[in-house]
Amino acid sequence: MELRVLRYFLAVTQERTISRAANILHLSQPTLSRQLSDLETELQVTLFERGSREITLTPAGRYLRERALILTQLADKTVQNLQTQSPIISGSLDIGAGESQGMRRIMHLISNLQADYPGIQLHLHSGDDANVKDQLANGQLDFGVIIGEQPLTHYHALKLPERDRWGVILPKTHPLAQQTHITPLDLRHQPLLISQQAAQSHQFADWWRNVASQIQLRGTYNLIYNAQLTVGDGPTLVLGLDQLVNVGPDSPVTFRPLSPEMTAPITVIWSRQQSLSPVARLFLQRLRASLPD
């Protein structure tokens, strides 16, 4: 399975017809059709359902498209990094992260890094910890930023001094907004949204304690921006992290921390199995230098 043919396959999936893809690739239509047919024969699957106007992907075709995107992006990045092994550092830096105020340190560092080395390109990939770890395993990422206590035996890890603080996002008109902190008793019978990651790891099990049976979880979210929109449109409250939502004078919502306090560590991780590029090594060097002893 050659990268060249995978790029042909991706072009066809994007253009939806072999004729348009052939024009873009500067190939004859019979040549491109033969390449795709040979690919199906090699893989022993049917990749396309050929219609009268456009082609659609089979389940096997959709799976190959996902993997082909990863493989071609990884190949392009590898070539780029190999071609920039020189004193003038350039290349791409891929970082996957959830929503966290700890990213301020990292983005400030990268801003300075790009000022010193304009040839460095940053690619940010948003996602929860499971997405970040999957992309690290696939070689799509150089580094991941994860939130909370987790086993990290398969990764190199560097813990940041910042910690994320949990609290409740609620309307400024809500009675609980008059309080400085929110306790488990305050949240009894209140409709709540909670982060998908926290729900799956039962992160609040100890915090709820005796009132767990009276907590009304209405659903989960993985992006706090979308979740906080529900606060202004109804009675739902959102359990989320501090400093991720606008709570300024013009905002209808506010943030109140939990009591007892709940915080989460922020950790930068990278694979033990893959070598770092010159750009990634420079980033790691500066990140370490930015941390207190």
Side-chain angles (χ1 to χ4, degrees):
M1 189 167 54
E2 300 179 22
L3 281 172
R4 172 180 54 84
V5 179
L6 286 180
R7 295 186 197 278
Y8 293 169
F9 167 75
L10 288 174
V12 173
T13 64
Q14 180 174 344
E15 297 302 321
R16 312 288 293 184
T17 71
I18 291 178
S19 59
R20 286 201 299 264
N23 288 334
I24 290 174
L25 295 169
H26 304 292
L27 296 173
S28 68
Q29 187 170 335
T31 298
L32 181 56
S33 295
R34 185 171 63 253
Q35 293 281 355
L36 296 175
S37 178
D38 290 345
L39 180 61
E40 289 180 314
T41 300
E42 178 185 357
L43 298 177
Q44 299 181 0
V45 295
T46 300
L47 299 173
F48 302 103
E49 294 176 357
R50 293 162 174 83
S52 58
R53 299 195 175 195
E54 292 187 344
I55 60 173
T56 57
L57 292 173
T58 64
R62 290 194 294 272
Y63 174 78
L64 181 61
R65 179 178 59 187
E66 293 175 2
R67 307 307 295 179
L69 284 169
I70 294 173
L71 290 170
T72 54
Q73 289 169 2
L74 183 58
D76 292 340
K77 181 176 179 179
T78 300
V79 170
Q80 183 183 35
N81 287 336
L82 286 173
Q83 291 175 345
T84 56
Q85 302 268 355
S86 66
I88 302 176
I89 294 180
S90 62
S92 62
L93 182 66
D94 288 73
I95 297 178
E99 296 171 301
S100 167
Q101 58 93 15
M103 285 298 291
R104 288 190 175 93
R105 172 186 294 271
I106 290 173
M107 295 311 299
H108 177 71
L109 188 152
I110 291 174
S111 178
N112 291 337
L113 195 63
Q114 290 182 311
D116 293 338
Y117 300 94
I120 292 177
Q121 292 185 333
L122 171 66
H123 303 287
L124 287 175
H125 307 256
S126 297
D128 60 19
D129 291 357
N131 296 139
V132 168
K133 289 177 179 178
D134 285 344
Q135 291 178 77
L136 274 174
N138 289 334
Q140 293 175 266
L141 299 179
D142 297 301
F143 298 96
V145 182
I146 62 171
I147 303 163
E149 297 286 358
Q150 299 184 41
L152 299 173
T153 54
H154 299 300
Y155 306 93
H156 295 293
L158 195 61
K159 190 167 288 188
L160 302 185
E162 297 84 3
R163 291 181 70 91
D164 281 316
R165 181 172 65 159
W166 284 98
V168 178
I169 301 161
L170 68 168
K172 291 179 178 177
T173 56
H174 196 284
L176 291 178
Q178 306 305 312
Q179 302 180 186
T180 57
H181 294 78
I182 303 295
T183 70
L185 289 175
D186 294 328
L187 294 181
R188 290 178 302 170
H189 311 299
Q190 298 283 353
L192 292 175
L193 281 184
I194 187 174
S195 84
Q196 181 176 322
Q197 182 175 310
Q200 290 174 343
S201 61
H202 307 287
Q203 195 161 342
F204 287 90
D206 289 336
W207 192 81
W208 304 130
R209 301 208 175 205
N210 297 332
V211 301
S213 62
Q214 301 174 66
I215 300 297
Q216 298 182 11
L217 293 181
R218 290 288 180 87
T220 63
Y221 67 87
N222 63 353
L223 291 174
I224 190 67
Y225 178 81
N226 291 335
Q228 59 95 22
L229 295 178
T230 66
V231 174
D233 292 336
T236 303
L237 310 183
V238 173
L239 272 169
L241 298 176
D242 197 4
Q243 300 185 47
L244 298 181
V245 170
N246 175 24
V247 294
D250 297 330
S251 173
V253 303
T254 189
F255 177 91
R256 293 292 180 266
L258 301 181
S259 179
E261 184 181 58
M262 276 192 64
T263 63
I266 306 162
T267 308
V268 177
I269 62 174
W270 62 101
S271 174
R272 291 183 178 272
Q273 313 301 324
Q274 299 174 23
S275 299
L276 294 177
S277 69
V279 173
R281 290 199 299 270
L282 179 59
F283 166 80
L284 184 58
Q285 176 186 341
R286 292 202 177 187
L287 177 61
R288 282 178 167 145
S290 76
L291 302 180
D293 294 337

